[in-house]
């Protein structure tokens, strides 16, 4: 079984949120070397680790994928044009163009005889009809079919999952796929339009606290339910899935379900403020309810999230507050 210790690893999209944390975890786990690739200029990466090889490449380009995978044993493909609901509902074509990255990365990994290829899929692949009620039944892996994923972003993820499967079956490239459910934490997007709910809520609550204008705009009616996974739980799960013999896409998410109103309650409590809530019913709000069924990952890997939402949100909020006070603007 292939692990990451001693492996020459590649993190695609490592200038981004999860990739930046993953590169650090790979170093800590004893990878022989870690190459990090992102399209953004290095000055915009959330984290730059001194011990990694850092390359700026556009992985939609096939030659760049060949360059990135040269001499690599373990690929972690996280590069994607993505963001929260506000972004993916308004940028469907852009989201779908990530199919170029996934296609070329798989072709290059096969040609360069990479040992194993991890792909970061998403809970957005799940059939929308199973997510209409805030009183959710947690999503099991089989609920992706019959296919009715999130338009644009979700279709691209589902298609790329299938490519991973067929590259494994037809060409023997060892692929592993995880479906991430809402990941949050420090060193990620918190402003500018691509941020997701936990970071957006932390930012809005902090803005209200610092401005003294004690109001908050909430997208939707606040009753939508979600689960949120802290980034350290996510990177641990990525390495566990990578090293496993789980061939089918598997959920990687928290099953601690909260409403958006409850998320705001926690953020208000952490910031020590109470805000008037203005609900924007015409803003993008995504499906009504979504949760991760963790039966399979618990059975195969004994994995479950360690970090409670309140604790993870406190760390995230601290980091966002530091960014705000330092006057950092969007990357
Ligand atoms: P992120 O936007 O912070 O990171 C993605 C990185 O990919 C960015 O730094 C971006 O510059 C880079 N990238 C985009 N196009 C590229 C290209 N053509 N070439 C090279 N780099 C490119 O996002 P994230 O939250 O870290 O997400 C990482 C992966 O996990 C993505 O594939 C995303 O779809 C998936 N995912 C994330 C979540 C979540 O809650 N954050 C949930 C489900 C799935």
């Amino acid at each position: 079984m292939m692990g990451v210790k001693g492996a020459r690893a590649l993190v695609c999209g490592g200038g981004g949120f999860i990739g930046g944390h993953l590169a650090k975890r790979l170093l800590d786990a004893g990878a022989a070397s870690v190459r990090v690739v992102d399209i953004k200029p290095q000055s915009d990466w959330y984290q730059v680790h001194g011990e990694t090889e850092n390359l700026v490449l556009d992985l939609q380009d096939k030659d760049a994928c060949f360059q990135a995978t040269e001499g690599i044993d373990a690929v972690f493909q996280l590069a994607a044009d993505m963001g929260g609901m506000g972004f993916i509902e308004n940028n469907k074509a852009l989201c779908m163009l990530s199919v170029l990255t996934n296609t070329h990365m798989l072709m290059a990994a096969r040609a360069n005889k990479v040992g194993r290829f991890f792909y970061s899929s998403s809970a957005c692949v799940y059939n929308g009809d199973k997510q209409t009620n805030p009183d959710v039944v947690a999503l099991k892996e089989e609920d992706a079919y019959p296919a009715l994923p999130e338009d644009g972003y979700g279709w691209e993820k589902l298609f790329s999952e299938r490519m991973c499967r067929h590259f494994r079956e037809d060409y023997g490239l060892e692929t592993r796929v995880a479906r991430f459910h809402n990941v949050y934490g420090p060193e990620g997007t918190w402003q500018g339009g691509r941020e997701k709910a936990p970071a957006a809520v932390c930012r809005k609550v902090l803005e209200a606290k610092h401005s003294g204008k004690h109001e908050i705009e909430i997208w939707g009616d606040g009753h939508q339910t979600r689960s949120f996974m802290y980034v350290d739980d996510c990177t641990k799960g990525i390495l566990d899935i990578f090293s496993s013999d789980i061939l089918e896409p598997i959920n990687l998410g928290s099953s601690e379900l909260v409403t958006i109103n409850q998320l705001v309650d926690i953020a208000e409590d952490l910031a020590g403020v109470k805000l008037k809530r203005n609900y924007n019913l015409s803003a993008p709000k995504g499906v009504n309810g979504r949760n991760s069924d963790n039966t399979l990952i618990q059975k195969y890997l004994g994995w479950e999230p360690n970090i409670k939402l309140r604790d993870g949100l406190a760390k995230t909020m601290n980091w966002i507050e530091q960014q705000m006070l330092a006057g950092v603007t969007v990357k």
Side-chain angles (χ1 to χ4, degrees), residues 2 17 21 57 97 128 189 244 305 313:
M2 182 173 174
F17 166 46
H21 288 274
L57 293 172
L97 281 173
T189 312
S244 77
L313 213 60

Side-chain angles (χ1 to χ4, degrees), residues 185-187 190 202-203 206 209-210 230 267 270-271 310-326:
E187 315 276 4
W190 59 280
C202 286
R203 189 200 70 233
L206 287 167
K209 176 182 147 189
H210 289 293
Y230 190 67
L270 290 168
R310 191 188 165 85
D311 299 336
L313 213 60
K315 292 184 197 203
T316 309
M317 200 176 229
N318 271 339
W319 179 80
I320 292 177
E321 192 162 31
Q322 284 166 22
Q323 303 297 298
M324 287 172 75
L325 295 177

Side-chain angles (χ1 to χ4, degrees), residues 12-19 37-40 46 57-60 77-82 101 120-123 153 157 180-184 189 194 196:
C12 305
F17 166 46
I18 303 171
V37 175
D38 205 286
I39 192 171
K40 294 187 293 198
Y46 287 112
L57 293 172
D58 178 356
L59 294 173
Q60 288 196 1
Q77 183 357 43
L78 280 75
D81 239 323
M82 60 88 65
T101 305
S120 56
S121 184
S122 162
Y153 177 73
K157 289 286 186 195
F180 298 172
H181 291 245
N182 287 314
V183 189
Y184 74 99
T189 312
R194 286 183 186 245
K196 297 188 147 205

